[in-house]
Amino acid sequence: MRWQGQELKASPAKGNEPGTAQGEPGPATASGSLQAASAVPPAGGPAETPGAATSPAGPPLAALPLTAVSGTTDPLIPLQGLVRSVRTPDFAGVTFHEVVAKSVLNKVGGGSNMPFEWTVNPYRGCSHACVYCFARKTHTYLDMDSGADFDSQLVVKVNAAEVLQRELARPSWQHHHVAMGTNTDPYQRAEGRYQLMPGIIRALADSGTPFSILTKGTLLARDIPLLKEASGQTEIGMGISLALVDPELAKRAEPGTPTPRARLELISRLRDAGLPCSVMAMPILPWLTDGDESLDALFSALSSAGATGVTAGALHLRPGAREWYLEFIARHYPQLSGKYADLYGKGTYASKEYRDWLAGRIRFFKAKYGFTGGARFLRPAGTHATRAVTGKETATAASPQDALF
C-alpha cells in the first residue's frame, strides 16, 4: 500500500505504540563552541582507509590560506579559533577547517523538547551528504551555505577531548546525559583521520557521565572495545540511523554514508558485544520509502540484525534542508515535485493526514516484527535488559527520559 492522499483505500493498522511521525530532531543549540582557546594543540592525525577500523598514516595535509577557501561562500576570517584549512588526497573535494574550541559541552536551548540537556559535536558539517539532513541550516551560522558547503567544508574541533575533560571535571557539572550525533555525525569519515571520539568517550566514562551516540558511521566498530569498557563505568546508549535499505536509493539520497548492509552488520556487531542498539529509522521518504514493500523490508532487516528498538517517522523539511531536498527530487524524481508541493505546502511538516497514515503503517510493521517500543538510547540506573530469541530488548524499568524520541 502506498500513500494516495484522498484515495487512501485502507485504514491505519492498529498497534500498541503511539505513532509520532514527526520527523527528525532539530539541531541542538551550541554556545561558544568555536571560540578561540589560549593554546593550539597539534592538528591532524592518521588518515582513514575507507571501511577499515584502523588505518596507517596518510599523506601530509596541504595547508590552505586562512583568508579564503575556493568553493566556500565567504572568506573564513569570521570562523573563530581557526588554526588552518587543509585538504588531503584521501578526501577528494573536502576541506577541513581545524579550530581550537574553548567549549565543546553544549547546552540545549530551553525551548527544545529533546529528553537531554547537553550535547557534544566534535564536527560541524558532514561528508555523509544526506540530501534530507535537518542540520544543514546550521552551516549558514558559519557564513557557509547549507548545500554543497555543508557536505564538503567541515569544521573539526581538534582539541575536543581535552576541552571536554576539563569541562567535566568542574565541580558544577551535574553528570547529565550527554547526547552525540544529534546534529552532525561524530563517526563520519573525518573521524578516521582525526580520531576524536576515543578521547571523548574516555572523558565521559572516566567522569561517570552517561552518554549516547547516534550515527550512520561504521567507524564506530573501531571503538566497540572502548564502549564495552565505558559501559562498566557509566550508562551508555547506542543508536544507528538507518531508514532505507535499497542500496541504489541510498547512493543517491545519502551518497557519503556506509551502505545499508554495512550498517545492519554494525547493529549485529554491537549486539554481539552485549551493547544495546536502537535504530532511528528517519526519515521515511514520501513515495520513495513509505510503501508497504519498503517498510516491510526495512523492519525485517532491522529485526534480523537484532535492533533493540526502532523509532520511525516522516521526512520533515526545515529551511536549508528543504531547498536542497526538493532540488534533489526535481533532479531525480521530477514526477514527484508536484506531489511534494501539495504534501508539504510551504511548511516543514507533511500534512497531518499523511503523518497519521504513515504512523499507522509503522505501527503495523513494528508489531509484525516484534518491536514494541521506540528507540531507547539510555537505560536508567537499575534497569536490567535481556535479549530474547527475537533479538529484542525488554527493560524491567523505564522512565520518560529513556527514549531519545
Side-chain angles (χ1 to χ4, degrees):
M1 176 171 28
R2 287 187 178 276
W3 170 253
Q4 298 178 8
Q6 298 299 326
E7 300 178 9
L8 189 63
K9 301 183 185 301
S11 299
K14 294 181 180 180
N16 296 324
E17 180 202 359
T20 59
Q22 296 297 313
E24 303 160 357
T29 301
S31 57
S33 59
L34 293 180
Q35 296 176 4
S38 58
V40 179
E48 172 195 11
T49 300
T54 58
S55 55
L61 295 167
L64 303 175
L66 295 186
T67 54
V69 173
S70 176
T72 58
T73 54
D74 288 302
L76 293 173
I77 286 296
L79 192 59
Q80 296 184 21
L82 181 65
V83 178
R84 61 176 184 169
S85 295
V86 295
R87 295 195 184 110
T88 170
D90 288 343
F91 294 83
V94 174
T95 301
F96 297 111
H97 305 294
E98 298 174 352
V99 302
V100 289
K102 186 176 181 179
S103 172
V104 296
L105 193 57
N106 306 315
K107 185 74 166 65
V108 178
S112 172
N113 62 356
M114 295 296 101
F116 50 82
E117 298 180 48
W118 298 89
T119 67
V120 169
N121 293 294
Y123 303 96
R124 298 187 70 171
C126 187
S127 61
H128 283 163
C130 302
V131 296
Y132 49 74
C133 182
F134 66 89
R136 286 183 172 276
K137 185 175 174 61
T138 62
H139 236 46
T140 65
Y141 309 155
L142 305 178
D143 290 330
M144 300 184 197
D145 70 51
S146 60
D149 283 356
F150 181 84
D151 300 339
S152 62
Q153 305 293 327
L154 307 183
V155 177
V156 184
K157 302 172 190 176
V158 292
N159 62 337
E162 294 82 0
V163 173
L164 179 61
Q165 185 177 30
R166 292 199 300 268
E167 292 182 299
L168 297 175
R170 293 172 180 167
S172 59
W173 175 240
Q174 299 296 307
H175 299 85
H176 297 285
H177 170 202
V178 173
M180 291 174 280
T182 62
N183 196 339
T184 56
D185 200 314
Y187 282 100
Q188 59 181 287
R189 285 188 63 234
E191 172 61 15
R193 171 174 288 278
Y194 289 96
Q195 301 190 31
L196 301 179
M197 285 299 291
I200 289 171
I201 292 169
R202 290 190 185 96
L204 291 164
D206 290 347
S207 70
T209 297
F211 65 90
S212 61
I213 298 172
L214 175 64
T215 183
K216 289 184 171 84
T218 52
L219 274 166
L220 174 69
R222 177 199 66 196
D223 293 340
I224 286 177
L226 181 59
L227 290 164
K228 288 184 65 176
E229 180 182 345
S231 69
Q233 299 173 269
T234 189
E235 293 158 346
I236 71 172
M238 304 303 305
I240 301 301
S241 177
L242 178 58
L244 57 91
V245 291
D246 178 347
E248 293 305 314
L249 179 56
K251 287 179 183 178
R252 292 190 292 271
E254 42 188 43
T257 63
T259 66
R261 173 52 55 191
R263 278 176 274 169
L264 290 167
E265 291 173 355
L266 178 59
I267 294 169
S268 295
R269 289 187 65 177
L270 287 165
R271 298 299 292 124
D272 290 343
L275 294 168
C277 185
S278 292
V279 171
M280 292 298 292
M282 290 181 160
I284 304 299
L285 306 176
W287 296 289
L288 296 178
T289 63
D290 62 352
D292 280 5
E293 183 178 351
S294 295
L295 292 173
D296 189 78
L298 172 63
F299 284 97
S300 173
L302 297 180
S303 178
S304 296
T308 54
V310 183
T311 293
L315 169 75
H316 68 216
L317 296 174
R318 295 176 182 271
R322 179 187 179 90
E323 298 81 359
W324 198 244
Y325 180 78
L326 293 180
E327 179 182 320
F328 162 81
I329 289 294
R331 183 168 64 253
H332 292 282
Y333 306 97
Q335 73 279 12
L336 298 181
S337 291
K339 292 184 176 182
Y340 271 91
D342 291 340
L343 186 61
Y344 285 87
K346 296 182 178 180
T348 295
Y349 299 100
S351 69
K352 185 177 184 301
E353 181 188 20
Y354 174 84
R355 287 184 281 123
D356 288 346
W357 169 82
L358 181 60
R361 302 315 297 155
I362 289 170
R363 285 195 297 269
F364 174 83
F365 286 106
K366 287 184 70 171
K368 178 178 178 179
Y369 289 102
F371 292 109
T372 58
R376 193 179 302 277
F377 274 56
L378 190 67
R379 294 177 293 179
T383 294
H384 298 285
T386 58
R387 188 180 184 190
V389 175
T390 61
K392 310 305 180 295
E393 194 170 78
T394 303
T396 59
S399 77
Q401 298 298 307
D402 290 347
L404 187 55
F405 299 98

